[in-house]
Amino acid sequence: MPIYTPAEDSYLLAESVKKFAKGRVLDMGTGSGIQAQASLENKKVLTVTAADVNNSCEKELKKMSSRINFIRSDLFTEIPKQKFGTIIFNPPYLPQDKGISDATIYGGKKGHETIERFLNKCGSYLADRGIILLLFSSRTNKNKIDEIIANNLLTKAEIARKQLPMFEKLHVYKIWKSKLLKQLEGKNISDARKFAVGNRGLIYTGKLKNRKIAIKAQRENAAAKTIANEIKWLKKLNKCRIGPKLIFSGKDYFVYEFAEGQYINEFISSNSRRKITAAIKNVMQQCRTMDKLKLNKLEMLRPHRHAVVTKSGRVVLLDFERCRISRKPKNVTQFCQYLLSGNLQSLLAGKMLINREKLIEAAKKYKSQQTETSYDNIVRLLK
């Protein structure tokens, strides 16, 4: 495999390396070694490790300096677990051209794939106050790179750019750990990565002592601060075995057990009548408990993204950010409306027959008087 010959991108990145490199330096995909050599010009640099999948790079590095240690590695696969003050990467970043094979310039079908693999692992090797110096091209899709950075709870700033012919631009980013990522790592959470986006919160997954957990954080642009409200209600509802198990919380975020399973609509479409009936009754019982607590969840009309059925058959209700006290809570009656919706009726066809008229009548009586008798009348119809 040929070594990438330094070009305009190499020299642009090298200027930033000379200025910002510090501490223990890792030059990922070192190639000719130009970035490793540039880092030695900064007095704040302690050690330099250069990594590349190409063994031929080692000979070039030995010519440069005895201070550069070489490791043959495909990204982080052979890098010892340690923290670096600076990680440098001038990756292959161009979208793949048909019929041409050159791993030194093509970063995947769309150009960003190698960068994504790199950033997905970077956090584990970056010191708390460490930085990543990353170069890429406008042909890589700048918006996609920004998205990948945010997905890994990292923060970035553009520190250099250069206009090339044919409307192409080179960008150099300085990237560092977000405040939330530092807090999570301080609690021994690793591999934190974005999982989903809600109206008011961001959901990440991670690992805590080898078990999968979820993290919910307040969105910066959210109109209302809802995380504190959700933490408050989860603490109470967990005592009634409702909601995901809260593990701990911090300012504007909390950590909870990840509910592994299927969303309720998916579960209904792929399971037997017996399992479906048990799951629906399980949700109904949780709704009844919340009604008795005079708590309105406000998500039971459309629980298809707020209810996960686990392998054990237990249903975990999610998203309590809008919970509030109500004299006339509507959890049971809203779930009845969901059961009678056209979309769900099509999923239940041939599996579970619900008498529409009788359920509507029973729900009306329950709404009027939320007693155990009126609730039992609803449950009897779920066969």
Side-chain angles (χ1 to χ4, degrees), residues 115-127:
I115 295 174
E116 186 164 21
R117 285 175 54 215
F118 166 79
L119 289 173
N120 284 351
K121 293 292 183 182
C122 233
S124 300
Y125 294 85
L126 188 65

Side-chain angles (χ1 to χ4, degrees), residues 65-96:
S65 174
S66 59
R67 290 178 60 192
I68 303 172
N69 174 46
F70 177 75
I71 298 177
R72 186 174 186 273
S73 181
D74 179 11
L75 295 182
F76 292 98
T77 55
E78 303 302 323
I79 304 299
K81 280 286 185 181
Q82 59 178 294
K83 299 291 185 179
F84 293 93
T86 309
I87 302 177
I88 307 163
F89 197 28
N90 182 7
Y93 51 69
L94 294 178
Q96 183 69 52

Side-chain angles (χ1 to χ4, degrees), residues 200 296-304 306 318-322 331 334:
R200 301 166 190 82
N296 229 3
K297 187 179 184 300
L298 296 175
E299 303 289 355
M300 299 316 300
L301 274 173
R302 294 174 295 277
H304 52 282
H306 308 282
L318 306 172
D319 300 318
F320 293 85
E321 55 193 27
R322 295 201 295 153
N331 300 291
Q334 284 190 348

Side-chain angles (χ1 to χ4, degrees), residues 292-332:
K292 288 163 73 174
L293 291 171
K294 299 299 181 184
L295 174 65
N296 229 3
K297 187 179 184 300
L298 296 175
E299 303 289 355
M300 299 316 300
L301 274 173
R302 294 174 295 277
H304 52 282
R305 303 300 292 179
H306 308 282
V308 173
V309 187
T310 65
K311 289 182 180 179
S312 67
R314 177 176 174 251
V315 183
V316 180
L317 299 181
L318 306 172
D319 300 318
F320 293 85
E321 55 193 27
R322 295 201 295 153
C323 272
R324 61 171 184 251
I325 291 290
S326 173
R327 287 192 307 107
K328 294 184 177 180
K330 301 175 181 179
N331 300 291
V332 168

Side-chain angles (χ1 to χ4, degrees), residues 43-71:
K43 293 180 180 180
K44 293 180 180 179
V45 169
L46 302 176
T47 63
V48 180
T49 300
D52 203 292
V53 74
N54 189 348
N55 249 341
S56 302
C57 299
E58 187 171 15
K59 295 178 182 178
E60 297 298 319
L61 292 167
K62 284 181 177 178
K63 296 175 187 177
M64 290 181 176
S65 174
S66 59
R67 290 178 60 192
I68 303 172
N69 174 46
F70 177 75
I71 298 177

